[in-house]
């Protein structure tokens, strides 16, 4: 790896942190940068999970009080999500790089559509909290399988699913989402590391960039309209999908 390549990876990690802090969608940048740099898609996907992980932890810490107050739902959803995340990660490892490569453009399009629809999927403030039913369990299981397998757009999907599954206000749902994201990512990372599909060199370069970007994103969030960042992320997702389609 050249110094220029390392610098580009650091910058993409930094930008992913900024984007995640403002609107989410940083996975598009990290996954795209690594695959365009020649990393096999399964390795890029697994490594991207590690790059995003510190952001999940800091987001959950910010909601520590809400998570403790809702520990029963957090534990139940955590168990469901751990099982789903494990299944998704194992499913990824069962594929060859060419097989996963063929799926990537479709996954990117699906994730881009979910991301673009984020404002519509965002749950409205409500107080009618309720117990999680079978449909909620099944929906969260499916979301966590997707999270362990690919992950882009997972947070938006979870907010929508949790809104239907448990009800409650936005910050309660966001707290649960942040906690569950840690569970899914931790399980997936353990599986990927055991499977030997992580590029630790790329992770070591990009994680500090993502951390700095997350901090800088707070500053940017007060000055750059979220709609502009969202539009840029959607454009990146569509361009990446087109690239993978046409380079087959």
């Amino acid at each position: 790896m050249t110094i220029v390549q390392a610098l580009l990876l650091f910058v993409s990690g930094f930008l992913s942190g900024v984007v995640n802090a403002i609107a989410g969608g940083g996975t598009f940048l990290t996954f795209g940068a690594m695959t365009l740099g020649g990393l096999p898609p399964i390795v890029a996907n697994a490594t991207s999970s590690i790059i995003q992980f510190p952001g999940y932890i800091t987001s959950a810490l910010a909601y520590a009080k809400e998570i403790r107050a809702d520990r029963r739902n957090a534990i139940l959803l955590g168990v469901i999500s751990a099982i789903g995340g494990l299944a998704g990660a194992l499913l990824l490892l069962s594929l060859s790089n060419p097989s996963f490569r063929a799926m990537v453009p479709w996954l990117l399009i699906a994730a881009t559509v979910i991301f673009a629809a984020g404002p519509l999927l965002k749950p409205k403030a409500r107080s009618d909290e309720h117990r999680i039913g079978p449909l909620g369990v099944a929906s969260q299981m499916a979301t966590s399988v997707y999270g362990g397998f690919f992950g882009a757009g997972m947070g938006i999907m979870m907010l929508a699913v949790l809104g239907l599954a448990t009800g409650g206000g936005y910050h309660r749902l966001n707290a649960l989402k942040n906690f569950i994201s840690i569970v899914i990512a931790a399980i997936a990372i353990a599986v990927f590391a055991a499977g030997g599909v992580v590029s630790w060199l790329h992770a070591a370069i990009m994680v500090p960039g993502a951390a700095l970007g997350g901090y800088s994103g707070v500053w940017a969030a007060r000055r750059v309209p979220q709609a502009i960042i969202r539009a840029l992320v959607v454009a990146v997702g569509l361009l990446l999908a087109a690239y993978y389609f046409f380079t087959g």
Side-chain angles (χ1 to χ4, degrees):
M1 182 186 298
T2 66
I3 294 178
V4 172
Q5 289 173 324
L7 181 60
L8 289 175
L9 289 172
F10 180 86
V11 170
S12 67
F14 175 83
L15 292 176
S16 78
V18 172
V19 166
N20 278 336
I22 299 174
T27 301
F28 290 105
L29 300 176
T30 54
F31 177 79
M34 285 185 282
T35 53
L36 293 176
L39 213 58
I42 289 179
V43 177
N45 186 45
T47 306
S48 190
S49 298
I50 294 174
I51 296 165
Q52 308 303 321
F53 190 64
Y56 294 150
I57 293 178
T58 54
S59 296
L61 288 174
Y63 276 110
K65 180 180 178 181
E66 289 81 358
I67 293 170
R68 284 195 298 269
D70 203 11
R71 65 172 63 89
R72 180 174 297 179
N73 276 317
I75 292 171
L76 174 59
L77 289 165
V79 171
I80 294 168
S81 300
I83 296 170
L86 176 62
L90 290 174
L91 177 60
L92 179 67
L93 288 188
S94 72
L95 299 175
S96 65
N97 272 297
S99 297
F100 182 63
R101 171 67 174 74
M103 299 173 65
V104 165
W106 300 103
L107 289 168
L108 285 170
I109 287 177
T112 302
V113 169
I114 292 168
F115 182 79
L120 299 177
L121 296 175
K122 182 177 179 180
K124 294 179 173 57
R126 43 192 286 194
S127 59
D128 57 331
E129 298 178 15
H130 50 269
R131 299 173 71 96
I132 303 171
L135 180 59
V137 170
S139 298
Q140 181 55 35
M141 178 68 74
T143 302
S144 57
V145 169
Y146 171 81
F149 183 76
F150 190 56
M154 175 183 69
I156 295 168
M157 290 173 64
M158 268 201 288
L159 279 176
V161 166
L162 291 172
L164 295 173
T166 71
Y170 172 75
H171 289 294
R172 171 180 182 264
L173 299 177
N174 204 31
L176 286 172
K177 182 264 292 181
N178 290 336
F179 172 74
I180 295 167
S181 295
I182 290 178
V183 174
I184 294 173
I187 292 291
I189 288 169
V191 172
F192 296 151
V197 294
V198 173
S199 174
W200 296 106
L201 175 60
H202 286 74
I205 293 171
M206 298 178 81
V207 165
L212 288 173
Y215 182 82
S216 302
V218 176
W219 177 89
R222 300 177 186 184
R223 294 163 175 81
V224 181
Q226 191 176 98
I228 293 177
I229 299 297
R230 187 173 293 277
L232 289 173
V233 172
V234 169
V236 169
L238 292 176
L239 286 172
L240 283 173
Y243 170 82
Y244 289 114
F245 267 124
F246 293 115
T247 58

